[in-house]
Amino acid sequence: MPGAVNSLRPLYDAIILGASGFTGKYVVRDALKLLNSSSSALKTLALAGRNPTKLAQTLQWATYPTPPPPISILTADTSDPMSLQLLCSKTKLILNCVGPFRLFAEPVVAACAHSGCDYLDICGEPEFMERMEGKYHEQAVKSGSLVVSACGFDSIPAELGLMFNSRQWMTPSLPNRVEAYVSLESDTSIVGNFATFESAVLGVANAHKLQELRRSRAKRATPVIPGPAPSKGPMIEFQEKIGLWAVKLPSADSTIIRRTLSILTENPHGLPGIKENPEQIAKRKAFWSTVKPTHFGVKIGSKSLSGIYRFITIGKLIGFLSGATFGRWLLLKFPSVFSLGYFRKKGPSEEEVKSASFKMWFVGHGFSDSLLSHRNVKPDMEIITRVTGPEIGYVATPIILLQCALIVLSQRENLPEGGVFPPGIVFGSTDLQQRLQENGISFDVISKTA
């Protein structure tokens, strides 16, 4: 049972850890709105971090001009295991917003995995996520702790977006490959926070560790995908159907989706919940029977070719400089310079947050008849779907994280008892897509052509 190690009734439904950080404060603001909703499963909440003064300031910012409600403020430090254990003993669920995750999050995962407390975060760092799975999955299964990373823009829109596209391929048609094209838009300027840039720099600098980790672990189950493997294609392409220039994006989405498809290959009906009723079991099996494995890749898109060259320049700078200590120092000392203005230490302004949005196009190619996939022929069918929503880091990510949290709190009996999993395999068959649509993130079918 979840929380089996901690047998005392928790004081709080959820604790937001790192609540005074760039993204954490927006999570707090949205969470407080849910507290006032009679239909919400979030009834009690606490904020946690190293600095109680900053947490109190976050609470005031989140409710301004209204005085803040009586929310508990707890002191906890990721370098203090005892403070994290105490935190876990007080709550059902920890929402971790402390990044970069490779530097600060492992002690939190360890505390949850040993205590039975459930854990969600907004990480987009593949090496950290795969390392946590390798180190803590068995312990989390034993304690009943459900540990799920990437419950923000990384990587819920990609996971649910791919599943949405996959489910449009009605029998006898089958998908062969789906390319996701991410387009970030704004009426002013697109600006990310420093922690995101730092995570990217450290991820590139430690890419060799991810490869070493994968070589050290048992090979994952490989899904059987109909038809030939897709060719690499050109470095830069123009996708005429959606009007975007695009270049490959080395994001976490692809690796997370491969993990989900691998788990689905081993568990074709999805992961059983703790106490599912027969109706829920049938619903879960029916959902996963409609999700077909496919090759998947992500590209960053721009309406102009100059925008693509800007992305390439940033990637080259990070790739060239991140391998050396002095190079990393330069990147992290002057993020605005080396990201060509996309990232800055103080983050975006409120106006920049409000004016930004995203579109994520899923262009799927496959076969109109499954019999064709056994022949040496090219795909003859295309389905384009799209996920759209508000600014990715401070609006969409809090929405996604909190809707995942509400599902954990209200539907725990329908979710896996414990373990470290990617988000798609945990939330795919729930009502998460519907919840996101009700909160400003839409899923649309754009076209179907043969």
Side-chain angles (χ1 to χ4, degrees), residues 306-332:
S306 62
I308 292 299
Y309 283 117
R310 190 179 178 191
F311 294 139
I312 292 173
T313 301
I314 296 169
K316 294 288 187 183
L317 287 170
I318 294 175
F320 178 72
L321 292 172
S322 63
T325 302
F326 180 67
R328 289 193 295 276
W329 179 85
L330 281 175
L331 289 168
L332 301 179

Short mmCIF file of all heavy atoms in Angstrom, two decimals, residues 306-332:
data_model
loop_
_atom_site.label_atom_id
_atom_site.label_comp_id
_atom_site.label_asym_id
_atom_site.label_seq_id
_atom_site.Cartn_x
_atom_site.Cartn_y
_atom_site.Cartn_z
N SER A 306 15.99 32.02 -40.18
CA SER A 306 16.94 32.67 -39.28
C SER A 306 16.75 32.20 -37.85
O SER A 306 17.70 32.09 -37.07
CB SER A 306 16.79 34.19 -39.37
OG SER A 306 15.50 34.60 -38.96
N GLY A 307 15.49 31.93 -37.47
CA GLY A 307 15.21 31.40 -36.14
C GLY A 307 15.86 30.05 -35.92
O GLY A 307 16.37 29.76 -34.84
N ILE A 308 15.87 29.22 -36.95
CA ILE A 308 16.50 27.90 -36.86
C ILE A 308 18.01 28.04 -36.69
O ILE A 308 18.62 27.34 -35.87
CB ILE A 308 16.17 27.06 -38.11
CG1 ILE A 308 14.68 26.72 -38.12
CG2 ILE A 308 17.01 25.79 -38.15
CD1 ILE A 308 14.20 25.90 -36.92
N TYR A 309 18.62 28.95 -37.44
CA TYR A 309 20.06 29.14 -37.31
C TYR A 309 20.41 29.69 -35.92
O TYR A 309 21.48 29.42 -35.38
CB TYR A 309 20.57 30.06 -38.40
CG TYR A 309 20.71 29.37 -39.73
CD1 TYR A 309 19.96 29.75 -40.83
CD2 TYR A 309 21.59 28.28 -39.87
CE1 TYR A 309 20.08 29.08 -42.06
CE2 TYR A 309 21.71 27.62 -41.08
CZ TYR A 309 20.95 28.02 -42.17
OH TYR A 309 21.07 27.35 -43.37
N ARG A 310 19.49 30.42 -35.33
CA ARG A 310 19.69 30.91 -33.96
C ARG A 310 19.72 29.73 -32.98
O ARG A 310 20.58 29.65 -32.11
CB ARG A 310 18.57 31.88 -33.61
CG ARG A 310 18.79 32.64 -32.30
CD ARG A 310 17.63 33.60 -32.06
NE ARG A 310 17.77 34.32 -30.81
CZ ARG A 310 16.81 35.05 -30.27
NH1 ARG A 310 15.64 35.16 -30.87
NH2 ARG A 310 17.01 35.67 -29.11
N PHE A 311 18.78 28.79 -33.14
CA PHE A 311 18.77 27.60 -32.29
C PHE A 311 20.05 26.79 -32.46
O PHE A 311 20.64 26.30 -31.48
CB PHE A 311 17.56 26.70 -32.63
CG PHE A 311 16.23 27.31 -32.31
CD1 PHE A 311 15.16 27.17 -33.18
CD2 PHE A 311 16.03 28.01 -31.13
CE1 PHE A 311 13.92 27.72 -32.90
CE2 PHE A 311 14.79 28.58 -30.84
CZ PHE A 311 13.74 28.43 -31.73
N ILE A 312 20.49 26.64 -33.71
CA ILE A 312 21.70 25.87 -33.99
C ILE A 312 22.91 26.53 -33.35
O ILE A 312 23.77 25.85 -32.76
CB ILE A 312 21.90 25.71 -35.51
CG1 ILE A 312 20.80 24.82 -36.09
CG2 ILE A 312 23.27 25.12 -35.82
CD1 ILE A 312 20.80 24.75 -37.61
N THR A 313 22.98 27.85 -33.43
CA THR A 313 24.10 28.58 -32.83
C THR A 313 24.16 28.36 -31.32
O THR A 313 25.24 28.11 -30.75
CB THR A 313 23.99 30.08 -33.13
OG1 THR A 313 23.98 30.28 -34.55
CG2 THR A 313 25.14 30.86 -32.51
N ILE A 314 23.01 28.43 -30.66
CA ILE A 314 22.96 28.20 -29.21
C ILE A 314 23.42 26.78 -28.89
O ILE A 314 24.22 26.56 -27.96
CB ILE A 314 21.53 28.43 -28.68
CG1 ILE A 314 21.13 29.89 -28.86
CG2 ILE A 314 21.44 28.04 -27.20
CD1 ILE A 314 19.65 30.14 -28.62
N GLY A 315 22.94 25.81 -29.66
CA GLY A 315 23.34 24.43 -29.44
C GLY A 315 24.84 24.22 -29.62
O GLY A 315 25.48 23.51 -28.82
N LYS A 316 25.41 24.87 -30.64
CA LYS A 316 26.85 24.75 -30.88
C LYS A 316 27.65 25.38 -29.74
O LYS A 316 28.67 24.82 -29.29
CB LYS A 316 27.22 25.44 -32.20
CG LYS A 316 26.63 24.78 -33.45
CD LYS A 316 27.30 23.46 -33.76
CE LYS A 316 26.81 22.92 -35.10
NZ LYS A 316 27.40 21.59 -35.40
N LEU A 317 27.20 26.52 -29.25
CA LEU A 317 27.90 27.19 -28.15
C LEU A 317 27.88 26.33 -26.89
O LEU A 317 28.91 26.16 -26.21
CB LEU A 317 27.25 28.55 -27.86
CG LEU A 317 27.52 29.66 -28.89
CD1 LEU A 317 26.64 30.87 -28.61
CD2 LEU A 317 28.99 30.06 -28.87
N ILE A 318 26.71 25.77 -26.56
CA ILE A 318 26.61 24.91 -25.37
C ILE A 318 27.46 23.66 -25.55
O ILE A 318 28.19 23.24 -24.65
CB ILE A 318 25.14 24.55 -25.08
CG1 ILE A 318 24.35 25.80 -24.67
CG2 ILE A 318 25.05 23.49 -23.98
CD1 ILE A 318 22.87 25.56 -24.48
N GLY A 319 27.38 23.06 -26.73
CA GLY A 319 28.14 21.84 -26.99
C GLY A 319 29.64 22.08 -26.93
O GLY A 319 30.39 21.24 -26.41
N PHE A 320 30.10 23.22 -27.44
CA PHE A 320 31.53 23.52 -27.48
C PHE A 320 32.07 23.88 -26.11
O PHE A 320 33.16 23.45 -25.72
CB PHE A 320 31.79 24.67 -28.48
CG PHE A 320 33.23 25.09 -28.56
CD1 PHE A 320 34.18 24.28 -29.16
CD2 PHE A 320 33.63 26.30 -28.02
CE1 PHE A 320 35.51 24.66 -29.22
CE2 PHE A 320 34.96 26.70 -28.09
CZ PHE A 320 35.91 25.87 -28.68
N LEU A 321 31.32 24.68 -25.34
CA LEU A 321 31.84 25.23 -24.09
C LEU A 321 31.56 24.36 -22.85
O LEU A 321 32.29 24.44 -21.86
CB LEU A 321 31.25 26.63 -23.85
CG LEU A 321 31.69 27.72 -24.83
CD1 LEU A 321 30.88 28.99 -24.60
CD2 LEU A 321 33.19 27.99 -24.68
N SER A 322 30.54 23.53 -22.90
CA SER A 322 30.14 22.81 -21.68
C SER A 322 31.11 21.71 -21.29
O SER A 322 31.07 21.23 -20.15
CB SER A 322 28.73 22.22 -21.85
OG SER A 322 28.72 21.26 -22.89
N GLY A 323 31.98 21.30 -22.19
CA GLY A 323 32.90 20.20 -21.89
C GLY A 323 34.04 20.58 -20.97
O GLY A 323 34.69 19.71 -20.38
N ALA A 324 34.30 21.87 -20.79
CA ALA A 324 35.40 22.32 -19.95
C ALA A 324 34.87 23.17 -18.79
O ALA A 324 33.86 23.85 -18.92
CB ALA A 324 36.39 23.15 -20.77
N THR A 325 35.58 23.12 -17.67
CA THR A 325 35.14 23.85 -16.48
C THR A 325 35.00 25.34 -16.75
O THR A 325 34.00 25.97 -16.38
CB THR A 325 36.14 23.63 -15.33
OG1 THR A 325 36.24 22.23 -15.07
CG2 THR A 325 35.67 24.35 -14.07
N PHE A 326 36.01 25.94 -17.42
CA PHE A 326 35.95 27.36 -17.71
C PHE A 326 34.82 27.68 -18.69
O PHE A 326 34.13 28.70 -18.55
CB PHE A 326 37.29 27.85 -18.30
CG PHE A 326 37.30 29.31 -18.63
CD1 PHE A 326 37.22 30.26 -17.62
CD2 PHE A 326 37.38 29.75 -19.96
CE1 PHE A 326 37.22 31.63 -17.93
CE2 PHE A 326 37.37 31.10 -20.26
CZ PHE A 326 37.30 32.04 -19.24
N GLY A 327 34.61 26.79 -19.64
CA GLY A 327 33.51 26.98 -20.59
C GLY A 327 32.16 26.97 -19.90
O GLY A 327 31.29 27.81 -20.19
N ARG A 328 31.97 26.03 -18.96
CA ARG A 328 30.71 25.98 -18.21
C ARG A 328 30.54 27.25 -17.36
O ARG A 328 29.44 27.78 -17.23
CB ARG A 328 30.65 24.74 -17.32
CG ARG A 328 30.48 23.45 -18.10
CD ARG A 328 30.10 22.30 -17.18
NE ARG A 328 31.15 21.97 -16.23
CZ ARG A 328 32.19 21.17 -16.49
NH1 ARG A 328 32.31 20.64 -17.69
NH2 ARG A 328 33.10 20.91 -15.57
N TRP A 329 31.65 27.73 -16.79
CA TRP A 329 31.59 28.95 -16.00
C TRP A 329 31.12 30.12 -16.86
O TRP A 329 30.27 30.91 -16.43
CB TRP A 329 32.97 29.26 -15.41
CG TRP A 329 33.01 30.53 -14.59
CD1 TRP A 329 32.68 30.67 -13.27
CD2 TRP A 329 33.37 31.84 -15.07
NE1 TRP A 329 32.80 31.99 -12.90
CE2 TRP A 329 33.23 32.73 -13.98
CE3 TRP A 329 33.79 32.33 -16.30
CZ2 TRP A 329 33.50 34.09 -14.08
CZ3 TRP A 329 34.06 33.69 -16.41
CH2 TRP A 329 33.92 34.55 -15.32
N LEU A 330 31.66 30.22 -18.07
CA LEU A 330 31.25 31.29 -18.97
C LEU A 330 29.75 31.19 -19.29
O LEU A 330 29.02 32.18 -19.24
CB LEU A 330 32.05 31.22 -20.27
CG LEU A 330 33.47 31.78 -20.27
CD1 LEU A 330 34.14 31.50 -21.61
CD2 LEU A 330 33.46 33.29 -19.99
N LEU A 331 29.30 29.97 -19.63
CA LEU A 331 27.90 29.76 -19.99
C LEU A 331 26.98 30.16 -18.84
O LEU A 331 25.95 30.83 -19.06
CB LEU A 331 27.66 28.30 -20.37
CG LEU A 331 28.25 27.82 -21.69
CD1 LEU A 331 28.18 26.31 -21.78
CD2 LEU A 331 27.50 28.44 -22.87
N LEU A 332 27.34 29.75 -17.63
CA LEU A 332 26.46 29.98 -16.48
C LEU A 332 26.61 31.39 -15.91
O LEU A 332 25.70 31.88 -15.23
CB LEU A 332 26.73 28.92 -15.40
CG LEU A 332 26.51 27.47 -15.85
CD1 LEU A 332 26.81 26.51 -14.72
CD2 LEU A 332 25.08 27.28 -16.36
#
